[in-house]
């Protein structure tokens, strides 16, 4: 499957020569795009996904669904009557079938959301991916699917690579799962649940769930597709989600901008005391990235939602923060980068699960910021950051897109920072170097 080159060219992170003033149009949400693709593929009728993210992760999801027999037609532009315009994908459901091989790359949504889908296919579906994908947690999804009636051959690893022996249907029912390492375990079962004969009842039995906003996103999107979902928030049992068996509707969905991917651009305004506008920022959303408004304001900025989008302005000062990031763990690398430049220490808590992401993000952030002269200490569930004068050097990314953007953020204020493998940002943010250069040149301001 996909191999990662041993050596990567170094990208000199641009140093800001003044305040940043720019309008940055952020591509669509990966989390929304990949959930929308799965739901559309399982629907009883064709549907549309408009303004999808075109990145490595979404391409892997689309290619995987095509391998299972789903039709995905990409158009350069379309109109849904809501003024959305832009690129659109028409999804044409079909009887899922194998044999097929799915390359998950290092995409958590693909490696976790698609094995449940594969149980509904007729034939064997093999899953493989990047070397790092073999190390990422998947055992809870595998064991849950077996409890629900699936046949899966993983040679006892509880991880990739594996083969789902699809029977064309899955009985479903009640299953207990420890999703304390990833909320994606719950979302994976819920997304395919309407197509299981008995639906699915997922009971989380572990410690606190991380990234709850992503489960709420899954639930809202299921309901929008016509599924009946009972949740703890709706008066149900704590840590229990039920999806009834039903046909899913083919919907016309417009994907929101990826708010988490807006983070480095908002950080640029905070660090330089400038202003960055992100068009189409939703007034209501389940995306965890919306918390950036609160967190970066507490760290020294101010923001306003306007007809032009979110307008964020830095004050020229960066304050340390003590914050629980358990629901928004994906924001940790960018927050750590800003905290390393603050005027007081920061403590980032509730993110022990980041040790199991694209890389061990806590160890990686500690090593790379300290390598530039910082003082970062790992805690049991996060990081403690004491700002120190930083210097240039190589910032390694570990094939992790959020490490790359975190390094770029530090490079705005520290000369001589070189990012190893900045191309890894293509996982969710295509053409990041160009977007970064355009921002610094004031494009769209």
């Amino acid at each position: 499957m996909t191999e990662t080159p041993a050596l990567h060219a170094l990208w000199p992170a641009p140093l800001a020569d003044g305040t940043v003033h720019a309008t940055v149009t952020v591509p669509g949400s990966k989390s929304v795009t990949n959930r929308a693709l799965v739901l559309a593929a399982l629907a009883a009728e064709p549907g549309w996904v408009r303004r999808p993210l075109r990145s490595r992760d979404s391409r892997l999801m689309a290619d995987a669904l095509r391998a299972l027999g789903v039709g995905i037609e990409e158009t350069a532009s379309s109109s849904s009557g809501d003024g959305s315009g832009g690129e659109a994908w028409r999804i044409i459901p079909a009887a899922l079938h194998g044999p097929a091989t799915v390359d998950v790359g290092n995409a958590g949504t693909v490696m976790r959301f698609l094995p449940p889908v594969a149980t509904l296919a007729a034939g064997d579906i093999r899953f493989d991916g990047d070397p790092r994908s073999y190390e990422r947690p998947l055992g809870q999804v595998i064991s849950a699917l077996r409890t629900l009636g699936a046949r899966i051959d993983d040679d006892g690893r509880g991880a990739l690579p594996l083969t789902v022996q699809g029977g064309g249907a899955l009985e479903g029912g009640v299953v207990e799962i420890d999703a304390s390492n990833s909320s994606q375990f719950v979302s994976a079962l819920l997304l395919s649940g309407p197509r299981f004969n008995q639906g699915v009842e997922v009971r989380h039995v572990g410690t606190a769930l991380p990234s709850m906003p992503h489960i709420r996103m899954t639930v809202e999107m299921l309901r929008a597709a016509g599924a009946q979902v009972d949740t703890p928030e709706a008066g149900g049992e704590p840590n229990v989600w039920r999806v009834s068996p039903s046909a899913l509707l083919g919907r016309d969905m417009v994907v929101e901008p990826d708010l988490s991917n807006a983070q480095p651009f908002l950080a640029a305004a905070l660090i330089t005391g400038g202003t960055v506008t992100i068009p189409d920022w939703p007034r209501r959303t389940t995306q965890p990235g919306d918390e950036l408004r609160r967190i970066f304001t507490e760290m020294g900025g101010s923001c306003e939602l306007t007809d032009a989008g979110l307008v964020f302005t830095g004050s020229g000062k960066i304050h340390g923060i003590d914050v629980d990031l358990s629901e928004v763990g994906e924001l940790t690398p960018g927050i750590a980068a800003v905290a390393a430049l603050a005027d007081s220490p920061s403590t980032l808590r509730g993110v022990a699960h980041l040790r199991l992401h694209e890389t061990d993000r806590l160890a990686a952030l500690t090593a790379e910021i300290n390598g530039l002269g910082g003082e970062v200490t790992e805690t049991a569930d996060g990081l403690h950051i004491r700002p120190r004068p930083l210097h240039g050097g190589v910032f390694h990314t570990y094939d992790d897109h959020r490490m790359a953007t975190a390094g770029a953020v530090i490079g705005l204020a520290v000369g001589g920072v070189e990012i190893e493998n900045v191309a890894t940002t293509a996982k969710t943010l295509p053409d990041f170097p160009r977007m970064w250069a355009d921002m610094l040149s004031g494009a769209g301001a």
Side-chain angles (χ1 to χ4, degrees):
M1 305 310 298
T2 309
E3 293 292 336
T4 302
L7 297 174
H8 299 289
L10 298 179
W11 178 68
L15 182 70
D17 58 5
T19 57
V20 168
H21 295 277
T23 295
V24 180
T25 300
V26 178
S29 163
K30 176 203 71 174
S31 298
V32 174
T33 297
N34 279 2
R35 283 166 173 78
L37 285 170
V38 170
L39 291 172
L42 295 177
E45 56 193 349
W48 289 90
V49 178
R50 302 185 189 274
R51 293 185 181 173
L53 173 67
R54 287 186 60 89
S55 71
R56 187 187 185 213
D57 277 18
S58 59
R59 186 178 71 251
L60 287 166
M61 180 67 83
D63 288 347
L65 292 170
R66 288 186 177 109
L68 297 179
V70 177
I72 302 179
E73 300 173 352
E74 303 183 20
T75 64
S77 63
S78 184
S79 176
S80 61
D82 63 359
S84 63
E87 186 170 1
W89 294 350
R90 181 165 171 80
I91 315 301
I92 304 170
L96 304 177
H97 61 81
T101 297
V102 169
D103 178 7
V104 309
N106 192 19
T109 52
V110 182
M111 71 179 69
R112 290 161 183 159
F113 292 178
L114 286 192
V117 175
T119 67
L120 304 171
D124 289 355
I125 311 297
R126 178 171 171 79
F127 290 82
D128 207 337
D130 296 355
R132 172 62 180 171
S133 71
Y134 296 4
E135 303 171 15
R136 299 186 67 182
L138 191 60
Q140 289 293 316
V141 174
I142 295 170
S143 60
L145 289 174
R146 286 176 174 147
T147 298
L148 298 173
R151 294 181 299 165
I152 299 175
D153 179 11
D154 65 343
D155 290 333
R157 288 183 299 271
L160 291 173
L162 60 84
T163 298
V164 176
Q165 300 172 20
L170 193 69
E171 189 59 24
V174 180
V175 65
E176 292 187 345
I177 187 170
D178 181 354
S180 53
N181 283 334
S182 175
S183 67
Q184 289 179 354
F185 299 166
V186 174
S187 290
L189 298 171
L190 298 183
L191 286 168
S192 293
R195 290 284 303 272
F196 299 163
N197 294 341
Q198 297 182 36
V200 70
E201 178 178 305
V202 181
R203 309 181 71 90
H204 168 61
V205 295
T207 56
L209 268 169
S211 304
M212 277 297 297
H214 281 120
I215 295 180
R216 290 192 283 270
M217 177 188 294
T218 297
V219 169
E220 286 203 6
M221 293 182 68
L222 276 162
R223 287 173 173 162
Q228 179 181 330
V229 188
D230 297 323
T231 69
E233 294 87 349
E237 295 179 60
N239 293 325
V240 177
W241 294 262
R242 298 184 183 90
V243 179
S244 301
S246 67
L248 292 174
L249 305 174
R251 301 305 299 263
D252 194 325
M253 165 166 282
V254 180
V255 178
E256 298 173 349
D258 193 315
L259 306 187
S260 294
N261 275 341
Q263 182 180 39
F265 306 101
L266 299 179
L270 181 58
I271 289 168
T272 68
T275 298
V276 167
T277 300
I278 308 293
D280 301 317
W281 193 287
R283 293 185 178 273
R284 180 187 175 279
T285 181
T286 54
Q287 288 192 63
D290 194 43
E291 277 295 289
L292 287 167
R293 292 191 291 155
R294 176 185 65 83
I295 294 169
F296 277 176
T297 296
E298 187 173 340
M299 296 186 80
S302 62
C303 65
E304 181 183 6
L305 272 175
T306 71
D307 290 342
L310 179 71
V311 180
F312 185 87
T313 302
S315 64
K317 297 181 179 180
I318 307 170
H319 308 310
I321 191 171
D322 186 329
V323 61
D324 183 343
L325 298 176
S326 57
E327 293 205 346
V328 292
E330 65 194 48
L331 303 180
T332 302
I335 293 170
V338 173
L341 303 170
D343 58 12
S344 58
S346 295
T347 299
L348 314 184
R349 296 179 282 106
V351 288
H353 60 285
L354 294 189
R355 295 187 169 99
L356 302 170
H357 275 220
E358 280 83 343
T359 188
D360 180 341
R361 284 179 171 164
L362 300 185
L365 287 165
T366 300
E368 298 313 309
I369 295 175
N370 288 354
L372 301 181
E375 184 180 335
V376 181
T377 305
E378 282 194 61
T379 65
D381 71 338
L383 299 172
H384 183 68
I385 302 169
R386 294 180 60 86
R388 291 284 185 266
L390 301 181
H391 56 71
V394 175
F395 194 94
H396 300 90
T397 62
Y398 309 86
D399 294 322
D400 185 333
H401 57 131
R402 299 206 191 277
M403 287 295 297
T405 54
V409 166
I410 292 174
L412 287 174
V414 179
V417 174
E418 295 182 299
I419 311 298
E420 175 231 19
N421 188 23
V422 73
T424 195
T425 53
K427 177 180 173 69
T428 61
L429 196 56
D431 207 9
F432 170 74
R434 180 193 57 78
M435 294 178 68
W436 201 242
D438 286 349
M439 176 196 70
L440 290 171
S441 71

